[in-house]
Amino acid sequence: MRPAQCGAIWLGLLLVCMSQAHAQTMEYGSLEQLFGEPVTMSATGEPQRASDAPANLTIITADEITKSGAETIPDVLRFVAGIDVRSYGVADSAVGIRGGTTALNPRVLVLLDGRQVLQDDYGLTVWQLIPVALQDIRQIEIIKGPNSALYGFDAVSGVINIITYDSLDDHVNAARVDAGSLNALGGEAVTSVKPTNAVGVRLSATGSRSDEYGTGGQTPVDQPRSGNLAVDLHAKLAPRLDLLLAASIGSIVSAYYTDLGYSIKAAFQANSLRGRLSSDSGIGLLYLDLYRNENRTAALTQGYEDSWRQDVTVLQVGDTLKLGGSQIVRVGLEYRNNTVSSGRSFDGRSGYDTFAASLVWSRQITPRLSLTQAVRVDHLDLSHQGAQFFIPGQDVGLFHDTEITAPSFNSGIVYKPTDRDTLRLLAARAVQLPSLLDFGYVRTATEFVIEGNPGLQPANVLNAEVDWDRSVPSLESSLRTAAFIAYSDRTIGSPFGSGVAVLPTGALLLAARNFGGSREIGGEFTLTGQDPKGLYWTAGYALALIHDETSGQVLADASSAAYENQTPTHSVTLSLGDSWGRFDVDLQARWQSQFLDYRLPPGAVSLQLVPVPNYVIVDLRLAYRLTHSLTLAVVGDQLDQANQIETAGVHTERRGFASASLRF
Amino acid sequence: MDPAVPDDRLTSQDLQIAGRLLHFIEQPPTGAVTLAIVYARDVPGSESEARDVASLLADGVAVGDLVLHAVLVEQHDLPLLGGYAALITTQGVSANVVRDAMQRRRVPCLTIHLSQVRDGGCLVGIRSLPTVSIHLNSSAADAVGIRFATAFRMMVQEQ
């Protein structure tokens, strides 16, 4: 059946079911107020209290985002135990979960309200290109560990789902302007209007610019700048049927550090369109979700200009229904068309169609014990349209069609032996797909040949985990402990980050390839608490012990495949704050152990490993609530060090900001 | 748990939950809402429990966009009463009387006495401590024609 036919049938089913349906679908705000804790759909696709989710789920609330004083989402994430953030520039951050961090991080799936914002072309997330204002974020949901059975490829080391307020159910009008060192100037505004009781419209805009770290000329862009505009509409077509329409555009020009081992001047543009129908029907929570992301990437480095466009269209349909009093079943189908095209590289157009079917089944065995099983099968057809590519001196063409069928699963047992304790036993198999660039990028010059590899195999990841949550009333705190073991059977190396070979012609060959596997043992320990007067604290420790099976010699210039080198083994995070009347003081700190990053020295052909020593960063926010609506704040980033080596790229610098936030 | 409040007494936190879960029934009430606090005169402690609940609501309690008010009613007088959006039952109230009222008025019954929910004499059992727990007798709800949002049903303990 063609996807369009499938979608039409599902739409018809939705409309038929309207007559039997009876209420709204997922209302985060009302459910959170009812249960007194955040709620989520990210773990299994079904509505759940965060404490019931069969996953290692961390939720960062809107209040925590405000208190962080962060200007960007990576700045919010870097103080979460188990998350590694590398700042390669003022607008370039790499975010990894539970190690395996690289300059790009294709293993972390990032979503905005369930829409993928991870770019499949290069397997990266351009964080400042996500069209969301920080003040419009209800919560950031972080799942540590694989979740392919729900999300498919790429949800390998974790998922970050940014949930915004609802344009119909929530009333958000907010604005913020900030200015600071490095000639930084930024702002955001979001407004929501309800023309009728059944229609809500939201507009949001963000923009920023700042001088880059370092002195002029150290990076290819002196002043990165970005801007985004988004609009969405939530209409209650009937008391039983909801329609969401959303559109966004955005762009950024920035230095961007890649697995090449240096920063390139990059210009990204992203447009998206989305429509989602959902219904609380007599046969469950039905949804039909259709979106399209268009990404334009231009590498503007002098002497190596490149550009391509990547378009992904995703159609998802599904139903979540409760059977009897104790079982919930979720069925889902997904079609994805993902292409990348360029006249300069890719020699035409490469892409794939993916068909996926998933099933989630959960059962509340007793009031204190639940079991969740999720399975998914993805089938991918990869093809290329355009000229065949030949490596000089070889007569076998590179491009060929490929099919990949990959099963994945997630299993979880949640047991609450007492009112204060929750145990989770989790197991998963996930699949990381090579990026489009890994599959089909090609480029030839006199001195070098760069080629993707349509024969690359996906990486299969197995993960087992034990979590223990315990509330400690005597400390007004809750404790979370997690221990996991993971194995990836073959690491995917990008064409730029897999090392260099020399062809018989003397030219250098940079080719994508699979490497050996990788093993990891790790865990997190987090103590979170708050006293009735407002003092709050979160202290965390994360361990990530990784062993790559490929020899260190081979990985010495394979930046995209060397997880052991690039992961700090230990990290400690601390968040602490209090309020006195109208004053807030919030402090965040992080220490992490040393790791190795990659750099291409000028004139060299091979990457060099660069030690990044252990370091501490301390951020401080002082805020004064001038009125109920207006808050003034000063924020100091990296107060403890004027300059800090965080990566092999430019050193980060101490910065200060002043901001005014309005919310009404 | 607050040691000053016996665990067989409805608390102000329980009332907040009661008010908020009304949002998840089909055609939820809005604005000022009256809760009928039902007691059994011949059951020791029932009336005093009801009066405690009524005192919590004496000045009206705001819950989201609702303002909750109370009216005390002895169970045998319930058929004569109208204008309420939900029932709150105390210990010892007759399941048959409550079922009849729910069916006639199409309103839900809420209680902290979980045995009444298990027996089908009331629809929703609520507890706010140590964590919020909500028990729904969906068979009883179906029987009296009261429907809850599916997302809500998926997040509570159903029987």
Side-chain angles (χ1 to χ4, degrees):
Chain A
M1 186 183 296
R2 294 176 56 186
Q5 293 173 316
C6 180
I9 290 172
W10 208 259
L11 179 60
L13 188 60
L14 270 176
L15 296 174
V16 166
C17 290
M18 279 175 56
S19 60
Q20 304 163 29
H22 51 76
Q24 46 284 77
T25 51
M26 180 71 172
E27 294 179 87
Y28 284 87
S30 299
L31 289 167
E32 179 179 325
Q33 288 166 349
L34 175 64
F35 290 107
E37 64 174 301
V39 298
T40 182
M41 291 183 74
S42 291
T44 63
E46 70 188 56
Q48 286 177 314
R49 299 162 72 162
S51 59
D52 290 341
N56 189 311
L57 175 69
T58 299
I59 292 183
I60 303 173
T61 64
D63 190 44
E64 290 168 335
I65 293 170
T66 300
K67 287 178 174 174
S68 73
E71 313 284 320
T72 65
I73 295 171
D75 287 343
V76 177
L77 299 173
R78 71 184 314 159
F79 298 101
V80 177
I83 292 190
D84 296 318
V85 176
R86 292 189 204 167
S87 292
Y88 282 105
V90 295
D92 175 14
S93 295
V95 178
I97 296 178
R98 287 184 167 173
T101 309
T102 65
L104 299 174
N105 291 300
R107 292 155 53 92
V108 177
L109 179 62
V110 184
L111 310 162
L112 176 62
D113 291 320
R115 176 179 72 83
Q116 180 176 330
V117 291
L118 168 75
Q119 296 185 197
D120 291 312
D121 50 2
Y122 210 158
L124 55 81
T125 298
V126 185
W127 290 92
Q128 293 206 15
L129 204 52
I130 299 175
V132 66
L134 286 180
Q135 291 181 100
D136 198 24
I137 298 175
R138 168 183 290 284
Q139 59 195 33
I140 300 174
E141 303 178 358
I142 303 160
I143 296 174
K144 297 173 196 162
N147 207 332
S148 276
L150 188 63
Y151 295 103
F153 297 125
D154 302 331
V156 174
S157 63
V159 177
I160 298 172
N161 194 5
I162 303 159
I163 305 295
T164 64
Y165 288 104
D166 187 284
S167 53
L168 180 60
D169 298 329
D170 301 307
H171 183 74
V172 179
N173 288 299
R176 192 190 75 196
V177 292
D178 52 73
S181 44
L182 295 174
N183 294 312
L185 187 62
E188 61 178 39
V190 54
T191 184
S192 50
V193 294
K194 289 174 67 172
T196 74
N197 283 336
V199 176
V201 179
R202 174 179 54 189
L203 279 166
S204 75
T206 64
S208 70
R209 68 151 170 79
S210 168
D211 292 349
E212 188 53 274
Y213 296 129
T215 55
Q218 265 189 280
T219 59
V221 178
D222 289 334
Q223 191 177 68
R225 56 197 181 276
S226 65
N228 294 284
L229 186 64
V231 59
D232 71 60
L233 176 148
H234 179 175
K236 200 162 277 300
L237 300 181
R240 305 142 184 184
L241 186 66
D242 291 72
L243 171 68
L244 174 74
L245 297 173
S248 68
I249 56 172
S251 69
I252 178 171
V253 176
S254 172
Y256 206 88
Y257 202 89
T258 70
D259 47 3
L260 287 158
Y262 61 89
S263 288
I264 61 171
K265 181 179 180 180
F268 299 96
Q269 277 187 288
N271 309 320
S272 74
L273 273 176
R274 184 182 194 185
R276 180 183 171 95
L277 270 173
S278 55
S279 174
D280 182 351
S281 76
I283 57 168
L285 299 172
L286 289 161
Y287 67 90
L288 183 152
D289 199 350
L290 176 66
Y291 67 81
R292 178 177 174 83
N293 297 341
E294 298 177 348
N295 297 311
R296 307 284 179 270
T297 300
L300 305 171
T301 301
Q302 196 169 13
Y304 193 82
E305 289 81 11
D306 204 347
S307 61
W308 60 79
R309 61 175 285 174
Q310 182 234 337
D311 302 316
V312 59
T313 303
V314 179
L315 173 65
Q316 298 167 324
V317 294
D319 187 23
T320 307
L321 68 161
K322 192 161 187 179
L323 302 174
S326 62
Q327 298 184 77
I328 296 174
V329 173
R330 180 183 185 275
V331 292
L333 296 171
E334 180 178 308
Y335 166 73
R336 179 177 295 246
N337 175 264
N338 204 348
T339 63
V340 62
S341 57
S342 171
R344 283 187 166 138
S345 45
F346 297 96
D347 273 4
R349 192 174 73 161
S350 277
Y352 51 77
D353 292 307
T354 305
F355 299 87
S358 63
L359 175 69
V360 182
W361 171 74
S362 62
R363 182 173 180 205
Q364 193 72 41
I365 298 168
T366 72
R368 293 191 180 274
L369 179 66
S370 66
L371 168 69
T372 301
Q373 295 284 350
V375 293
R376 172 167 166 145
V377 178
D378 286 80
H379 178 79
L380 176 147
D381 291 316
L382 174 73
S383 61
H384 175 262
Q385 289 90 44
Q388 184 57 275
F389 179 80
F390 296 91
I391 292 178
Q394 297 184 10
D395 54 4
V396 178
L398 175 74
F399 295 117
H400 58 85
D401 293 351
T402 299
E403 291 187 16
I404 294 171
T405 300
S408 53
F409 75 84
N410 279 80
S411 299
I413 293 173
V414 180
Y415 177 51
K416 300 184 177 183
T418 73
D419 288 336
R420 292 165 51 188
D421 296 281
T422 301
L423 286 168
R424 294 183 184 81
L425 298 176
L426 309 171
R429 180 187 194 274
V431 183
Q432 181 195 354
L433 189 69
S435 70
L436 287 161
L437 191 137
D438 297 336
F439 275 135
Y441 186 94
V442 289
R443 190 81 184 263
T444 304
T446 310
E447 316 82 32
F448 60 83
V449 176
I450 305 169
E451 65 166 8
N453 182 355
L456 277 180
Q457 293 298 303
N460 301 306
V461 176
L462 294 170
N463 188 86
E465 177 169 347
V466 181
D467 297 351
W468 176 41
D469 297 350
R470 180 172 176 78
S471 67
V472 189
S474 58
L475 297 175
E476 295 168 319
S477 298
S478 60
L479 179 70
R480 165 167 286 191
T481 307
F484 67 92
I485 182 167
Y487 175 67
S488 176
D489 64 351
R490 47 185 167 246
T491 304
I492 298 167
S494 77
F496 298 111
S498 295
V500 180
V502 181
L503 292 168
T505 60
L508 302 175
L509 174 65
L510 290 80
R513 54 170 286 204
N514 284 115
F515 290 83
S518 180
R519 301 174 190 276
E520 181 177 10
I521 294 174
E524 298 95 27
F525 173 92
T526 308
L527 184 73
T528 303
Q530 181 164 14
D531 79 1
K533 294 178 180 172
L535 175 68
Y536 72 90
W537 59 89
T538 299
Y541 165 74
L543 171 73
L545 281 167
I546 299 183
H547 173 67
D548 291 330
E549 293 178 340
T550 306
S551 75
Q553 192 176 5
V554 172
L555 293 176
D557 61 351
S559 61
S560 63
Y563 299 151
E564 184 177 345
N565 285 339
Q566 299 187 77
T567 299
T569 303
H570 308 279
S571 61
V572 176
T573 52
L574 176 69
S575 300
L576 187 66
D578 204 349
S579 299
W580 293 273
R582 292 169 179 258
F583 284 99
D584 295 338
V585 178
D586 305 284
L587 180 142
Q588 300 196 89
R590 177 187 174 93
W591 171 84
Q592 68 175 45
S593 59
Q594 65 96 35
F595 69 97
L596 298 172
D597 198 1
Y598 285 83
R599 178 168 61 200
L600 184 68
V605 295
S606 291
L607 293 170
Q608 177 189 58
L609 283 166
V610 176
V612 176
N614 74 87
Y615 67 86
V616 176
I617 54 168
V618 178
D619 293 358
L620 181 69
R621 170 182 178 263
L622 305 173
Y624 179 71
R625 290 185 295 278
L626 199 61
T627 69
H628 181 68
S629 306
L630 180 63
T631 301
L632 305 177
V634 291
V635 176
D637 285 353
Q638 196 182 297
L639 286 177
D640 54 316
Q641 295 284 340
N643 289 279
Q644 184 64 60
I645 303 171
E646 281 195 36
T647 67
V650 66
H651 298 181
T652 59
E653 297 174 24
R654 179 185 295 143
R655 290 195 293 171
F657 295 93
S659 70
S661 304
L662 190 63
R663 194 173 187 97
F664 56 95
Chain B
M1 187 176 291
D2 183 352
V5 181
D7 61 5
D8 61 349
R9 286 290 189 270
L10 189 139
T11 66
S12 53
Q13 292 99 314
D14 296 331
L15 274 178
Q16 289 289 321
I17 296 168
R20 294 195 185 281
L21 70 80
L22 293 177
H23 178 73
F24 295 97
I25 63 173
E26 191 174 35
Q27 297 173 335
T30 57
V33 165
T34 299
L35 305 178
I37 317 300
V38 189
Y39 63 93
R41 184 176 294 122
D42 50 353
V43 175
S46 182
E47 184 171 354
S48 69
E49 182 189 345
R51 292 195 182 282
D52 285 350
V53 177
S55 68
L56 289 173
L57 293 163
D59 300 322
V61 170
V63 180
D65 56 359
L66 301 180
V67 179
L68 306 181
H69 298 276
V71 56
L72 272 177
V73 56
E74 206 286 329
Q75 60 178 346
H76 297 300
D77 297 332
L78 195 53
L80 308 175
L81 187 70
Y84 51 88
L87 302 159
I88 291 184
T89 54
T90 56
Q91 56 187 300
V93 171
S94 161
N96 289 334
V97 170
V98 175
R99 260 196 300 265
D100 180 57
M102 286 193 293
Q103 199 144 28
R104 195 160 7 93
R105 303 287 179 186
R106 288 291 171 91
V107 296
C109 166
L110 319 174
T111 187
I112 59 166
H113 301 288
L114 300 187
S115 59
Q116 294 181 1
V117 179
R118 281 194 293 272
D119 298 344
C122 195
L123 301 190
V124 186
I126 50 179
R127 281 287 179 179
S128 57
L129 294 173
T131 59
V132 173
S133 65
I134 298 173
H135 302 254
L136 171 66
N137 190 323
S138 48
S139 306
D142 291 344
V144 296
I146 295 175
R147 305 200 183 284
F148 290 84
T150 303
F152 171 83
R153 285 185 51 213
M154 289 179 177
M155 297 173 73
V156 301
Q157 294 180 40
E158 270 192 296
Q159 49 196 303

